[in-house]
Structures are given as structure tokens and as C-alpha cells.
Amino acid sequence: MAQKNAIDVRKQKKLSLGRSLKICLRGMTHRLLRSTLTLAVVVLAVAFFMTLLTENVFIASIAAGAGNEITLQREASVTLNFLYVAPADLIHSKRLATTWESSNETQLALYAKFTATPIEEIRQLAKLALQEQQYLEFFNSLSVGKRLILVQKNQGRKQFRFLINPGPWQEFVENIKVFKSLQVPGGIAEMRSFLDGFETYTKKLAKVTAAWHDSIKTFTAASEKITGPDQIDDWLATAKANELTAWLKTVQGFGFDFSQEKLDRICKFLKIEKRRAEIATILNSATKKDLWQKTLYTKPALDEKMVMLTNDKVADTILESKFNREDLQEIVNHIKHERVLAQQEANLVGKTNMEKGELLSEKQLFLLFVSFLVCIVGIANAMLMSITERFREIATMKCLGATDGFILTQFLFEAAIQGAVGGIIGVIIGFALSLLKNSVTFGSYLYHYFPGEGLLLCGLYSLAAGIILSMVASIYPSWAASRMAPMEAMRIE
Amino acid sequence: MAFDHEGYAQGKEILVRAHGVKRVYHRGSEEVQALRGVYLNIYRGEYVCVMGPSGSGKTTFFNMIGGLDSPTSGRVFIDEVDMAQLNAHELAFLRCRKIGYVFQSYNLNTVMTALNNVMLPMLFAGKHPDDARSYAMELLEKVGLGDRWNHRPMAMSGGQQQRVAIARALANRPSLLLCDEPTGNLDLKTGKEIHQLLSNLHKNENATIICATHDHNMLLASDRMVWIRDGEIDRVELSKDVKIEKASLGTDDD
Ligand SMILES: Nc1ncnc2c1ncn2[C@@H]1O[C@H](COP(=O)(O)OP(=O)(O)OP(=O)(O)O)[C@@H](O)[C@H]1O
Ligand SMILES: [Mg+2]
């Protein structure tokens, strides 16, 4: 018989993704319950991933916070040192060199203002200062023998003064050639010209230093009898509010970036430090030592003992009510705070991968890789099980005209939805676990420096990981499902 | 060889032609000859009942003519199209539009409502969901379940489920309806309902129905009976010839 194409057999239409998704979504809740095993695996994996990720985010955020606090505390002494220590020429040279090197324009302007010198001159001076520092460094890096040959026994500025004389300079140049590997920074000619201008440079530097001293005197006048950093510490700790305001105005008048807030912080810090020193003196005085060693002898460190002083009786007997309870509590809090900070710093050493731009360390990546592998196998296995359970359903769909592609997309959609739902649950669980774990380690610091944005990002990453993981794991099972023979629909068990 | 009776094929158009269909299953090292060479013509508008003892190869034969499996040797033509020539997408098209399947165990999608179940083949055929919905409602009404369109299979009796399955099988107006023991899981009364539905389809809409069954009511309503034994066609009888021998069927219901 001739082959007559009575039925018009065409290719089956491909359903659009939207339609496929709609069909998949029907009864999705039903499916989700049915595949609790797969869901559980996804949840576990995502929770694990989330804890790993967030741990680093927490650590990084707390490190930044603790670091910031520590800087703030140290800022006090640094700033005061800058304002009240009248440094020698050489120290000025160093300061100028670093500001020039870091091309810090505001710092240079401040310098100019503070020393009442034109900015151009300061620039010139800073440039020469950098040169001087480089030469000094060069000399210092030489071995003793070589330096002896080059600049005889001199050190520091004396080396320059020695070289300014024509005889030694000739020798220096000759000897440099002997040590072939030696390179004077910028070359011999530049050094010669530096040495030519050395006298004027030192004179100018001395002038700037003198101007600095003058400015400091102005400060001293503004804040009564302060002459050095020790005294300003004392003064700030005890000064009245109006005196402090006057002082702040003077400081700001010189162009320093010094806010009221910063001043308050410094004052508080100094006040506490002062009291702490006083208590320490009392504790260490000959008469008290005996007494408090009897009461608190098990605690060796002074700070520890101070913490114990909050115990009423002890404080009263030892300090003879010289300090009121609030003061004492404040000091103790401060000590505790400092200790936490120190501990935080120690905790965080080597842990701040975030600062290096990495979210995970190599070890964590390895862990993650292994766990993902396990998860993929687990999910694939659970999916395969659910597919054998549903083989009749799949085969029936094929009898009704579903193409392999349709079945494949159904299962992949299902996997994606499962990944998303499991991922959301996993993110929440992971976050809770991580919060619990880190709040044990970091205490209230955790809430103080709560990295909201970072955590959100972690959540999104984890969710994406869950979806991708679940989809990757179901590629094979979905493919297997799509290849199921339609005749299975006819079978009855 | 095609067991055609004198004059029966006269003026009839062949819809399905099985030509020496063999199917061998491999179960481990053992070979099972499920079909040993089946020759049969099925004509358009015919109601054929297939009978045979368990394991005789009825389901296997249905798989062959339904495009669900391919024969080890021999050929199956539907409307003179050789099924072996069709690729996967064309087979899907054939299953979707040309053949309707009614399974012994209903095989409804348990998570979908009756309406959605009936709509599914139409969606696969690329019909617009709104059109599919209205035609599915029409079909459900036809099988007497118009008021139950929103029920899930779990909430329906076996007969109702099977009627949904029949509505689903009719969704794309197939040329051929394949029913593998559609009343096998039903009690007599509901079985009768299904039988009624199928014979009405045959009478009123001239549907081509191939039905594996032991239900003698169905046998009586059919045009021809095909007896399969050990993977071969044992005999083919016209129902009108058998009617007299009603008692000899050994059924004692009614
Ligand atoms: N997938 C299979 N793999 C191996 N053997 C099979 C398979 N399907 C069917 N068979 C075998 O082929 C033979 C015919 O089976 P088939 O299911 O076609 O019988 P049947 O007539 O439909 O029986 P029943 O009335 O019990 O449904 C049986 O011996 C059976 O064991
Ligand atoms: Mg069977």
C-alpha cells in the first residue's frame, strides 16, 4: 500500500516557559511537602553556607568597629602630643617629610598656618625634609664598616656637615664608586646640591621650629599654665566647661580639626585615666598594700583588683570612701571595655579576610566545596527517589503529549522553587545560628556594630547558592525523568 | 492474516494497521515474547474489544498501537503513517492529538483539579488557556461531572475519576480512543456507567474505540471482539455473531 499521509503529523509544539511554570506551580505546595527530604538538604546546605559567610561579615564589622574605637582612644594622646610637644628640628624634618610624601595638602596648610610661614616655603622645606630623611635612611642602612669609610664616625646631621667640606666630599664620591652596588638616592649630583643648600635649609627649619614653639606658647596662654603634654592631660581632666570651650576655640583658630565631641571624649578618657592612676597609688601605698593583699590577694593584676573593688565592702575598707560609687563603676566599666577591645583585637588577628577583599578563607572554601558536593549528591538522590515515586504521573503526561523538554523544565522549575523555599528557610536558620554563636563570642559588640548590609548580601548569596545548588543537583534526575518511557503509564503494580 | 471477516471491511477505512508486530522483553537473561506477530486492521468508527487472559499481551499491544513503545519487529500504521518513521516530537504530537488514553488506574494528576486535568492535553496542544477551559467544562458536563470541575481526584469516587480520565482522553478530539481495562478497578455499577459513556461516544460521535475488557456488557456493545492468547491473535469475532452465545462467556452478572 502506498504511504499516504492521511493524518497531518507535525511536530509537537513547545510550551512557553510561562505556561510551563504555571503548570508547575499548580500543586506546588503539595509537591513541597512531598519532597521534604530534598528541602531539608537544601535548608542544611544553605544554613551552613550562611553561617560561614556571616561569620566573616560579623568579624570584619566588629574588627572595623573595635579598630575605630581603639583609634579614637589613642587619638587623644596623639593630638595632644602634636599640639604641646615642642619638637627639635630633626623631628620637624621627619614630620614634614611624611606630610610631603603623603602629599597631604591640608596638613601642609595647617603647618603653614601654625608656624606663620608662607605655604610655598613650607612646600620647599617639606621637599628638602623628605630628601634629608632619605639620605639619613640611606646612611643608617649602611653597614658600620662602609659608613666608617664614607662619612667617618659621624651620625645624624653631623654626616652632612662632614660632607660639606670639600676634602671629605671628594673622598666620599671616590669611595662610593668602590662600593659598586651603593646607590645614593637621587644620585650624587642631587646630593651635592642638597648639601650646598643645607645651611639655609637648617636655618629655615630652625625658624619654623621656633614659630611652632611660639604657637604652642599661645596655646599655653589660652589654657593657663599648660606647658607640656603631661600638664595638658591634667588640665583637660579637671578643666571647667567654659575653660575647655575657650581652649577649643584657640585650637580651632589654628585650623585644627577638633570638634567638641572629640574634646569630650578625650576629657572623659583622661579623667578616667587620672582616677585610675590615683586608685593605683592608693592600692600600692605601703599601708594599704597589706590590707588589700589580704582581701584580694588571689588576683595578681592591678586592673583585676580594681574590677573587684566594685564589691562594696572591699572598696570601703580600702579606699576609705575617697571615691564615690559611680566614679568607681565608671572606671571599672572602662577597664572592662578596654579588656574587651583588647580581646577583640586578639580574636580578630588573621581573621579579617573581608579586608583582603575575600569573603571566605581557603579552608572555608574547601569546607564549602565538600559540603556542596555532599548536598548535590543528597539532593540528586532525593530527587531520583521522588521521580521513581512519580513515574506514572510523568509517563501519563507523556501520553497526553508532553515533550521531553516540558518534563525537563517542570523538574528544573520545581528544583528552583524548592531551592528558593529551602534557601529562605536556610538563610533564616543560618542567620539565627550565626547570631547565636557570634553573640557568645562578641557579646554586645555584635549589636553595636551590626553589619546589616553585609548580612543582607550574605543572605542573597546563600539564597542564590541554594537555588543553583538545587538546580545543578536535579539536572541528572530531571533528565532521567524526561527520558521515562510513556508505556510506564499503562503498567499497574 | 488480518482476520477480516467476509465483507466486513467493505467500504471501511483502515485507521490502525498492525503488521506482524512482535515485542520481546528482556528480563535479565530471559526473553519474554509478549507479542509474537500480530496482524490486525482496525477501521475508523469501530468499537473493538480486546480480550485475553492475563499476561497474553493486551497491554503490550496497546502500547504498540498507541505509540507508547516501539515493536521489536513488524510495523504499526496509523492512518497509513508508519509510526517507526516518527521522531520524538512527532510522536508527542500523535499522542497529544490523535490518540486518547484511558488507563485502568485512571492516572489523573492528583494535585490538579478535574478541570485542570482535562485542560492539560489542550495546553500541551498549544490551545489558549481560556479556550481550553471552556472546552474542558463542556467535556466534563458531557461525562456528567459539570458540577465537580473544581474537585481534586482524591475527593472523587473511582467512577468519577475514570470519567474525568475519559474527558481528558477526549480533550483534543482524538481519532482513536485506547482504553486498557477502563472498568478493571470499578465495581459493576460504576463500570456500567463507564461502559455507557463509551458506547454513547461510539454511537453518537462515531468514535473509534479500542478497549481491553472482560466486561460482557461492553463486549455486547462492540462491533468486533479480538481474542489474544500468548501474544498472538487467537480469533476475531463479530459481536453480532457472538450475541447468541452470551451464556458461554461464563459471566454471571446482570
Ligand atoms: N516491561 C516489561 N518487561 C518485561 N516483561 C514484560 C513487561 N511488560 C509486560 N511484560 C510481559 O509481557 C507479557 C504480556 O504482558 P501484558 O502486560 O501485555 O499482558 P496483559 O495481557 O496486559 O495482562 P493483564 O490482563 O494482566 O493486564 C507478560 O508475560 C508480561 O510479564
Ligand atoms: Mg494489561
Side-chain angles (χ1 to χ4, degrees):
Chain A
M1 202 182 285
Q3 293 257 329
K4 178 179 61 131
N5 225 12
I7 312 185
D8 171 28
V9 180
R10 277 166 294 170
K11 275 195 174 180
Q12 177 71 317
K13 274 192 185 163
K14 275 197 187 122
L15 277 186
S16 73
L17 280 183
R19 293 252 166 96
S20 298
L21 183 61
K22 255 188 191 162
I23 293 172
C24 182
L25 282 178
R26 269 185 209 137
M28 197 63 226
T29 44
H30 194 277
R31 293 230 167 82
L32 274 181
L33 285 180
R34 189 153 59 181
S35 49
T36 30
L37 189 62
T38 328
L39 208 62
V41 177
V42 179
V43 168
L44 275 181
V46 172
F48 182 66
F49 187 38
M50 184 73 184
T51 36
L52 273 190
L53 274 184
T54 46
E55 169 143 13
N56 288 337
V57 170
F58 273 130
I59 287 173
S61 153
I62 286 162
N68 199 22
E69 206 154 314
I70 290 164
T71 339
L72 285 179
Q73 267 189 23
R74 285 175 192 160
E75 193 179 63
S77 45
V78 171
T79 314
L80 295 176
N81 250 317
F82 187 72
L83 283 177
Y84 285 93
V85 179
D89 281 0
L90 208 53
I91 293 174
H92 263 309
S93 164
K94 224 177 226 166
R95 276 190 192 171
L96 280 168
T98 45
T99 40
W100 184 251
E101 211 170 11
S102 60
S103 60
N104 190 335
E105 276 301 315
T106 44
Q107 195 86 24
L108 283 175
L110 196 64
Y111 230 100
K113 201 172 177 193
F114 203 62
T115 56
T117 321
I119 181 86
E120 271 316 309
E121 208 167 304
I122 289 291
R123 281 218 177 90
Q124 217 179 1
L125 216 53
K127 209 160 149 190
L128 287 170
L130 180 61
Q131 230 172 336
E132 179 179 17
Q133 290 301 321
Q134 280 170 346
Y135 291 138
L136 285 176
E137 206 177 300
F138 168 70
F139 284 131
N140 286 339
S141 69
L142 295 175
S143 67
V144 180
K146 280 179 192 165
R147 194 163 66 205
L148 207 66
I149 293 169
L150 286 173
V151 289
Q152 294 196 344
K153 276 181 185 168
N154 299 304
Q155 283 208 334
R157 283 218 172 120
K158 279 188 192 149
Q159 293 166 132
F160 299 127
R161 294 205 193 284
F162 168 75
L163 282 178
I164 284 169
N165 301 318
W169 173 252
Q170 285 308 322
E171 260 174 52
F172 174 79
V173 176
E174 287 304 310
N175 284 333
I176 279 280
K177 282 178 192 155
V178 177
F179 307 114
K180 278 194 182 104
S181 61
L182 281 186
Q183 292 285 329
V184 178
I188 290 286
E190 204 168 303
M191 186 166 183
R192 180 73 242 184
S193 80
F194 171 75
L195 288 177
D196 287 344
F198 185 70
E199 287 305 336
T200 31
Y201 160 66
T202 25
K203 262 181 210 149
K204 274 182 188 167
L205 196 63
K207 220 176 98 193
V208 166
T209 312
W212 190 278
H213 282 251
D214 283 347
S215 292
I216 285 178
K217 266 183 207 141
T218 322
F219 270 131
T220 316
S223 41
E224 294 173 22
K225 292 165 213 150
I226 312 159
T227 53
D230 300 336
Q231 279 165 324
I232 177 79
D233 278 7
D234 277 354
W235 184 77
L236 284 176
T238 51
K240 292 180 191 106
N242 58 344
E243 288 172 346
L244 284 175
T245 322
W247 182 84
L248 188 62
K249 266 193 189 141
T250 325
V251 173
Q252 283 167 343
F254 272 96
F256 276 93
D257 175 23
F258 219 104
S259 63
Q260 180 72 47
E261 194 204 339
K262 193 167 160 185
L263 182 64
D264 289 345
R265 196 176 324 124
I266 291 172
C267 286
K268 194 181 162 198
F269 175 71
L270 289 173
K271 204 185 276 177
I272 288 172
E273 284 299 300
K274 199 168 175 225
R275 296 244 177 83
R276 193 165 155 184
E278 278 172 37
I279 295 177
T281 342
I282 294 176
L283 287 182
N284 284 328
S285 71
T287 46
K288 299 286 179 218
K289 215 167 183 169
D290 230 26
L291 180 67
W292 74 273
Q293 270 182 353
K294 256 181 220 153
T295 350
L296 307 168
Y297 68 97
T298 47
K299 298 281 176 185
L302 203 57
D303 279 353
E304 293 288 337
K305 280 163 192 154
M306 282 197 209
V307 172
M308 291 199 73
L309 282 180
T310 32
N311 180 331
D312 300 290
K313 263 199 216 152
V314 180
D316 287 342
T317 28
I318 295 177
L319 301 176
E320 291 164 347
S321 310
K322 260 191 188 162
F323 291 87
N324 65 33
R325 199 137 304 284
E326 283 89 57
D327 280 353
L328 206 56
Q329 192 59 53
E330 199 173 2
I331 292 165
V332 169
N333 283 349
H334 184 76
I335 290 169
K336 279 183 180 167
H337 186 78
E338 257 185 350
R339 209 180 293 159
V340 172
L341 276 185
Q343 194 193 334
Q344 243 50 299
E345 256 189 332
N347 272 350
L348 299 170
V349 171
K351 272 190 172 181
T352 50
N353 297 315
M354 278 286 259
E355 282 169 9
K356 284 185 264 163
E358 298 166 14
L359 213 50
L360 293 166
S361 67
E362 261 168 45
K363 195 179 133 207
Q364 284 172 316
L365 268 178
F366 176 73
L367 259 179
L368 209 65
F369 178 73
V370 171
S371 73
F372 276 11
L373 221 62
V374 172
C375 287
I376 286 183
V377 172
I379 295 173
N381 188 39
M383 281 287 270
L384 277 174
M385 267 169 61
S386 105
I387 282 167
T388 41
E389 240 170 59
R390 288 165 64 181
F391 74 98
R392 186 193 294 280
E393 185 187 322
I394 299 161
T396 310
M397 291 262 232
K398 287 196 141 188
C399 288
L400 301 179
T403 55
D404 289 9
F406 172 80
I407 305 281
L408 193 75
T409 43
Q410 285 290 292
F411 277 88
L412 286 180
F413 270 141
E414 200 175 313
I417 294 168
Q418 230 161 50
V421 173
I424 289 169
I425 300 173
V427 164
I428 293 169
I429 293 178
F431 173 70
L433 282 180
S434 168
L435 201 64
L436 209 69
K437 189 186 161 222
N438 284 300
S439 59
V440 169
T441 327
F442 296 114
S444 64
Y445 267 78
L446 198 64
Y447 307 100
H448 228 264
Y449 301 108
F450 198 73
E453 210 171 294
L455 289 178
L456 199 70
L457 213 64
C458 286
L460 289 180
Y461 280 160
S462 309
L463 189 62
I467 295 174
I468 292 169
L469 201 68
S470 161
M471 285 186 78
V472 167
S474 31
I475 288 175
Y476 173 70
S478 308
W479 179 81
S482 78
R483 297 300 302 264
M484 188 154 282
M487 58 180 277
E488 298 293 341
M490 287 280 193
R491 276 227 242 182
I492 28 167
E493 54 273 343
Chain B
M1 271 300 252
F3 295 93
D4 279 353
H5 290 259
E6 273 315 306
Y8 178 75
Q10 203 88 59
K12 287 197 170 84
E13 197 184 323
I14 295 176
L15 182 64
V16 182
R17 188 156 66 92
H19 186 82
V21 173
K22 287 186 186 167
R23 180 64 164 104
V24 181
Y25 288 117
H26 297 272
R27 211 183 277 152
S29 57
E30 204 185 325
E31 276 194 358
V32 181
Q33 299 239 345
L35 293 178
R36 296 164 187 270
V38 171
Y39 295 84
L40 187 71
N41 292 337
I42 286 159
Y43 303 96
R44 199 180 287 285
E46 211 183 2
Y47 188 173
V48 179
C49 276
V50 179
M51 276 170 297
S54 181
S56 55
K58 300 184 293 291
T59 300
T60 311
F61 179 59
F62 274 51
N63 286 337
M64 296 299 139
I65 58 179
L68 303 182
D69 192 12
S70 48
T72 313
S73 70
R75 293 178 160 205
V76 178
F77 301 89
I78 284 203
D79 262 350
E80 293 310 323
V81 176
D82 187 351
M83 294 243 256
Q85 309 289 326
L86 304 179
N87 66 24
H89 276 89
E90 288 165 340
L91 272 173
F93 179 91
L94 192 80
R95 290 182 207 125
C96 183
R97 317 283 187 103
K98 299 299 165 192
I99 303 168
Y101 303 86
V102 179
F103 307 96
Q104 178 172 357
S105 42
Y106 330 129
N107 292 12
L108 292 176
N109 191 323
T110 47
V111 300
M112 292 185 186
T113 61
L115 183 74
N116 284 330
N117 264 295
V118 180
M119 274 171 71
L120 200 56
M122 296 191 247
L123 293 181
F124 287 151
K127 213 171 193 175
H128 191 273
D130 293 341
D131 301 340
R133 189 182 307 275
S134 60
Y135 188 56
M137 277 308 284
E138 211 174 288
L139 283 172
L140 280 174
E141 258 149 42
K142 190 188 265 178
V143 299
L145 291 173
D147 52 340
R148 296 200 166 240
W149 61 272
N150 203 17
H151 287 211
R152 275 166 214 277
M154 294 304 183
M156 289 195 259
S157 72
Q160 287 168 334
Q161 289 189 49
Q162 194 61 299
R163 281 188 276 162
V164 175
I166 291 172
R168 182 179 67 181
L170 296 174
N172 288 323
R173 304 170 214 265
S175 314
L176 176 65
L177 204 59
L178 275 180
C179 315
D180 191 5
E181 308 200 25
T183 57
N185 280 343
L186 301 176
D187 60 77
L188 285 175
K189 192 178 151 285
T190 35
K192 212 166 174 178
E193 284 172 24
I194 300 302
H195 146 67
Q196 211 67 50
L197 195 60
L198 289 178
S199 60
N200 284 346
L201 274 173
H202 170 57
K203 265 186 227 143
N204 305 340
E205 313 198 9
N206 200 25
T208 311
I209 300 173
I210 309 178
C211 187
T213 187
H214 299 289
D215 185 335
H216 89 263
N217 284 317
M218 269 193 193
L219 299 181
L220 293 178
S222 65
D223 297 323
R224 279 199 295 169
M225 300 175 200
V226 176
W227 302 81
I228 295 189
R229 188 180 295 278
D230 280 342
E232 275 174 320
I233 299 207
D234 188 32
R235 58 197 154 101
V236 176
E237 287 170 315
L238 297 180
S239 301
K240 59 178 195 301
D241 299 342
V242 189
K243 264 174 196 162
I244 331 124
E245 307 164 29
K246 184 178 165 186
S248 72
L249 278 168
T251 47
D252 51 7
D253 56 54
D254 233 3

